[in-house]
Amino acid sequence: MVADMSYSTVSYVIDSWEAVRRLPDYEEIVGKKLFIKLFQLEPDAKAIFGFGKIGTGNGEELPKELIDSKRFTTHAKYFIQMIDKALGMLGPDIELLTEILLDLGKKHVNYGVKPEYFPSMGRALIHSVQTVLGDGFTEDMKDAWVEVYGALSYDMIRGQKM
């Protein structure tokens, strides 16, 4: 699935990601925005990441102490680093990326990640990128992110079923 993307689609994503990477502390900022949004969309997903019954249920916000905690920050940054590595493989290493995503999908079954969480994670990721880029994030970029994330998550979901 990942190998089926057009050059222009991949280019929009890589170009916009490079703009994100130029921002100071982008890993922490984008990562925190992503997980805050994810937990708003999928409150049950907090347990997978070890945050259990903390906030965001029925419209609650995550407590500031959690958002500012070293554990939350570390996890947020790590996730963005993984996204960065995956996006860096979209060109020359596409076959290897597919193998890695299939393997990651298998591993994520053990973590309790459900296939239905993937669309929410995609919405959270795109929301975060759009938020930090502001007006620089165009509809064409959004469409490209939806396609690329869909392809990446498709391979991970396939891996979950193997």
Side-chain angles (χ1 to χ4, degrees), residues 16 126 129-131 133-139 141-143 145:
S16 59
I126 293 166
V129 172
Q130 185 174 17
T131 300
L133 292 182
D135 292 339
F137 193 81
T138 66
E139 277 302 311
M141 284 179 187
K142 183 175 183 177
D143 292 344
W145 273 95

Side-chain angles (χ1 to χ4, degrees), residues 24-104:
D25 302 317
Y26 79 95
E27 291 171 347
E28 180 175 342
I29 292 166
V30 176
K32 284 183 174 184
K33 287 181 183 304
L34 183 147
F35 279 100
I36 290 167
K37 185 66 170 179
L38 175 65
F39 295 157
Q40 289 170 345
L41 296 170
E42 298 286 351
D44 293 342
K46 291 181 298 190
I48 293 168
F49 297 97
F51 299 113
K53 300 179 192 284
I54 303 170
T56 71
N58 300 324
E60 292 177 54
E61 295 295 320
L62 285 176
K64 184 169 175 19
E65 314 83 67
L66 173 64
I67 295 169
D68 293 339
S69 73
K70 181 173 175 60
R71 190 166 144 255
F72 188 83
T73 301
T74 299
H75 190 77
K77 289 169 72 172
Y78 177 75
F79 187 82
I80 295 302
Q81 290 166 2
M82 294 302 99
I83 294 291
D84 190 52
K85 286 180 184 174
L87 294 177
M89 296 177 79
L90 282 176
D93 299 318
I94 201 84
E95 288 83 17
L96 178 59
L97 177 58
T98 299
E99 290 176 32
I100 290 169
L101 292 170
L102 292 170
D103 187 51
L104 274 175

